[in-house]
Amino acid sequence: MRNWLNAPASETQITHGQRLWLYVLAGIIMILLVAPTVIVIPMSFSASQYLEFPPREWSTRWYDHYFASAEWMSATWTSLTVGTLTMLVATPLGVMAAYGLHVSNFRYAQFIFITLITPMMVPIVLIGIGVFYVYVQLRLVNTILGITLAHSILAIPLVVIVVGAALKTYDMNQERVARSLGATRLYAFLAITLPQIRFSVITAALLAFITSFDEVVIAMFISGGDNSTLTRSMFNALRDQIDPTIASISTIMVLVSTTLLVASQIFGKDKGK
Amino acid sequence: MAVTETVPRSEALPITIRRVTKTYGQVFALDHVDLDVKSGEFLTLLGPSGSGKTTLLMALAGFTRPDHGSVSFGDTEVVRMPPHKRDVGMVFQNYALFPHMTVAANVAFPLKLRKVAKAEARERAERALETVQLGGYGERQIDQLSGGQRQRVALARAIVFEPRILLMDEPLSALDKKLREHMQIELRHLHEQLGMTTVYVTHDQREALTMSDRIAVINHGRLMQLDEPRRLYDRPANRFVADFIGEGTFLPVELSNGSAAYAGTPLKLAEAVNETAAQELLLRPERLSVLAGAAEPEVNVFAGKVKELVFQGESFLMYAALADGAEVAVRGATNRDVMERIPAVGADVHLGLHRDDTVLVAAGED
Amino acid sequence: MAVADFAPGAVAEPQDEPHATGLRDDAFRERMAMLGLCSPALLLVLVVLVSPVAWLFWLSFLANDGSLSLEHYERMIASKSYARIFWTTFQVSTLTTMLCILIGYPLAYFLSQLPPRAAAICLITVLLPFWTSLLVRTYAWLVLLQRKGLLNNWAIELGLWDEPVKLVHNMTGTLIGMTHIMLPFLVLPVYGAMKSIDRDYLKAASNLGASPVSAFWQVFFPLSLPGLFAGALIVFVLCLGFFVTPVVLGGGKVIMVSMRITDNIELFFNWGAASALGVVLLALTMGTLYAASRLLRLDRILGEGNG
């Protein structure tokens, strides 16, 4: 231990001992980053009406309540459906656009890129009311299709950026050589390029799913009735009172995000790098 | 059992390039290039980086679309044909092997696209690997191969479908010097064995001289000279070619009535003077010799003083200042005879240049 | 063929420039094909985002009786309550950004100094919140900070304060929650920038006689600034339009522009006023991004936001 404290910690010969304050500080910050979400998990198993930590009495009553509620179940189902559909819409569209932008050097590529990522820059409430206004005319309010399309425009920028970054590090000569060996452009992309950027495509797809699954504000305006999303229902419940059922739903959502994060770390990373 | 099966000899096609032009903004990457590649020949496009040699190769492969011009393989006009229909083998600088496939799958890739039956494809891929001396490597992964082996796999993949034209873009530049020189000879042999028309791009003049039937020197998107290696070196058409291939010092000459003179002394020349353009005298260091006594009649003599002498092992390098101050380099073998003749630094020296080596080149912009 | 004599350029093409027309057509067709690949995504964004926003823009210039007017904007300038909302929004965004910098920069520095394996594990603590629903995280803070929440209970047990302190449903709670939610957006770009700093610069600095502290401030810190700038910009812009966290943790005491827009729609059905506010919010956001992009290239900022 003493050896470690006196060992040089960086290029400037500062020792670990002299930087102990940094390690402690970083440790506290990291705990603060994760703790609030993690602490909800044991609290959700509390038997009390007031959420306690640590719970004095353990129970699964809030989970029972969640699973027994037709309303919550329907909302969960809507969120899963919309998330999956958003992933299925945004991923191919985003990959196509990222490829098109990558291979073309035409003047408008930069302009198209900026347009595609505007959903990241426009305040979400504005998108929400705008989409709501248009959907009223198109009779798309409270429909799965409507929510999916709106969530897709939030997910497309992420897919374009993630896949675009992967294409930048990919050696396009591979696609060229495949074409000179007799492959059409489409075949060369599918057989040679796609397998090599698949990790980024998977990450992009997972991001698309989670973007939709976690989205609140747009859903607040355009989802409702039988097609209310989980986050919308949670948000409404939160505004009213602190319903402990939400702790159990939160736990499930943390579980979903953790699973997706782990999946993205396992399947979404190029092992060669 | 020494007989190994190899890829059969293919019927080569000539390539005709006419007025091929490619501009990027105001810059000419290719400036009305006319070039004929003979059937079955090994032709090298040689030039500095940015000269347009790779652009021309990419135009042959179909990856660069010229502004206008015509490219024919045999009788077929291909300038508007997409790359996958051109049926040319191509080897890239960084090999561009597919890392997610085995060696065998890489090599069999063009056969799969040509709907060759699986068993036959496997057999032909193995044969191509044997041709490049990698028999039995089929099941390896790409990342298990050394640089030289990757190079060979890329080559096998380019020849396995017996294309009639093979294009190579600096395929040896990533290898170390020793392996590179070995591969140069091997590629040369492979070309003789397979007989396909080969266009090879390099910026390495020694590599071009070693391997090629003919060399096309390219600069600023223009063809500077097209000739056999020996002729290109001995009789460069202009100062750029002379300077890019080999070393040389250039001296101003006065032209009059079909003869040329340097510093008032008429020169004995290898070829008649071309008086349509300004000319310069090319002095290659290894063609100059240090004279001991009186010069032979066929030798031009330049008098000067030794400025610097460098011993480089197998050769020496001498810098001498001529009467008018021009500095010339002289290179020679370090055998006893020569070394004994070399004067000390500061002493007078007489340099001889045989008439056959006395060449005038068109004065260039460079 | 008499015409040819008068227009040599026109007939010269087939001989001097073989296939020029055909090649130009091919180039055009290829460009269109690549544009075609972008068009489904582009179309979706145009229909679902650009056209509604354009429509809102139009609405903001219509008075409630349907005539063209600047009524909504005039009221915005005249009204004190609007001024307060914009001031709150600016205050919350600036404070959150500053807190994120103060907390995020040391963390990013710490992460950048770790060996790869340890860094990967510690990065998960940054990525996990990034992937977790912001509603869940907001909810967690609500639970922790409320009157009978964990924090108050612990603080009283430890004797830090005697009475439960109001930590939530006010500015404090909003800032705590928003800082927590925005932190990954700052840490990731800063970390990226720090990782790309060549460590030889620091060796060179110490070799030239710089103390560790001055090597940090004079070499490392300036080189990490582009990442810090990018991260701070992302945080600030996202804060400007933030909605969920201030609604839940602000408890009606922290009213930001987004919330007022929603109220205008949900409570007052006043589309014109909501649109005008939205247009101003959008203009502020785009103005900030534009000003920043003059200093730093925009695509690099956005490209680093999702490492």
Side-chain angles (χ1 to χ4, degrees), chain B residues 73-136:
Chain B
F73 296 164
D75 295 329
T76 318
E77 171 66 52
V78 298
V79 76
R80 291 182 60 193
M81 194 184 269
H84 66 276
K85 291 190 179 151
R86 295 196 180 196
D87 226 22
V88 296
M90 174 117 198
V91 179
F92 279 92
Q93 188 169 9
N94 55 359
Y95 321 138
L97 295 174
F98 309 138
H100 59 302
M101 297 180 181
T102 61
V103 168
N106 262 281
V107 177
F109 183 79
L111 299 176
K112 192 171 141 201
L113 290 166
R114 286 169 177 76
K115 313 258 184 285
V116 175
K118 254 196 178 145
E120 192 197 334
R122 197 162 33 216
E123 195 182 312
R124 281 173 66 181
E126 182 58 26
R127 221 185 302 155
L129 284 171
E130 270 162 24
T131 307
V132 297
Q133 294 164 19
L134 279 182

Side-chain angles (χ1 to χ4, degrees), chain B residues 147-289:
Chain B
Q149 289 170 332
R150 286 177 199 209
Q151 171 56 51
R152 287 161 199 258
V153 175
L155 193 61
R157 185 176 63 180
I159 61 172
V160 69
F161 60 106
E162 294 157 35
R164 300 201 279 183
I165 291 168
L166 181 61
L167 307 176
M168 292 193 256
D169 183 13
E170 310 220 9
L172 304 181
S173 59
L175 304 180
D176 64 54
K177 186 167 179 282
K178 216 166 188 172
L179 192 54
R180 191 162 66 227
E181 283 171 358
H182 176 75
M183 282 301 291
Q184 286 168 2
I185 305 293
E186 210 172 295
L187 275 179
R188 183 73 236 183
H189 288 169
L190 198 67
H191 173 254
E192 279 160 16
Q193 178 191 338
L194 300 174
M196 52 190 75
T197 308
T198 303
V199 180
Y200 188 98
V201 163
T202 185
H203 64 271
D204 180 343
Q205 40 115 352
R206 186 181 285 271
E207 189 168 295
L209 294 170
T210 308
M211 302 176 73
S212 323
D213 291 326
R214 288 195 302 164
I215 298 171
V217 182
I218 295 182
N219 194 32
H220 296 315
R222 280 191 302 252
L223 184 60
M224 306 303 281
Q225 188 173 3
L226 173 64
D227 242 318
E228 289 161 16
R230 185 71 203 266
R231 228 187 124 67
L232 205 64
Y233 189 84
D234 287 347
R235 301 280 182 269
N238 51 48
R239 180 167 172 164
F240 174 80
V241 174
D243 203 27
F244 192 69
I245 299 176
E247 300 165 70
T249 315
F250 301 90
L251 297 179
V253 291
E254 304 100 51
L255 301 180
S256 61
N257 305 326
S259 67
Y262 169 68
T265 319
L267 293 167
K268 299 153 192 149
L269 292 171
E271 285 175 357
V273 182
N274 169 14
E275 277 184 84
T276 55
Q279 302 281 310
E280 286 174 303
L281 174 64
L282 164 65
L283 298 179
R284 293 228 186 263
E286 79 286 355
R287 299 287 161 96
L288 285 166
S289 56

Side-chain angles (χ1 to χ4, degrees), chain A residues 139-156:
Chain A
R139 298 178 179 284
L140 279 173
V141 178
N142 298 359
T143 61
I144 297 278
L145 174 68
I147 312 168
T148 301
L149 291 181
H151 283 176
S152 294
I153 63 158
L154 295 183
I156 281 173

Side-chain angles (χ1 to χ4, degrees), chain A residues 19 33 51 133 185 257, chain C residues 30 34 55 109 131 139 180:
Chain A
R19 294 216 298 195
L33 268 171
L51 293 167
Y133 192 85
R185 200 162 191 162
S257 354
Chain C
E30 185 180 334
M34 291 307 122
W55 188 248
Y109 180 70
W131 283 71
Y139 171 70
H180 180 240

Side-chain angles (χ1 to χ4, degrees), chain C residues 4 26 60 66 73 76 80 86 94 98 106 147 149 167 171 188 193 216 241 270-271 273 279 291:
Chain C
D26 292 349
S60 74
Y73 292 96
M76 213 185 297
K80 277 231 168 85
F86 276 108
T94 312
M98 273 157 49
R147 253 184 95 76
L167 291 167
M171 186 62 118
L188 292 177
F216 173 83
N270 190 343
W271 281 89
V279 167

Side-chain angles (χ1 to χ4, degrees), chain C residues 212-268:
Chain C
V213 173
S214 70
F216 173 83
W217 285 111
Q218 296 188 14
V219 179
F220 191 88
F221 181 72
L223 287 170
S224 71
L225 272 180
L228 184 62
F229 191 74
L233 180 66
I234 294 170
V235 171
F236 185 79
V237 164
L238 286 176
C239 283
L240 282 181
F242 228 64
F243 179 75
V244 173
T245 310
V247 168
V248 174
L249 297 180
K253 302 231 171 48
V254 182
I255 311 279
M256 290 179 66
V257 180
S258 292
M259 296 153 74
R260 187 55 186 260
I261 294 175
T262 314
D263 287 348
N264 272 331
I265 300 288
E266 290 189 330
L267 303 178
F268 311 120

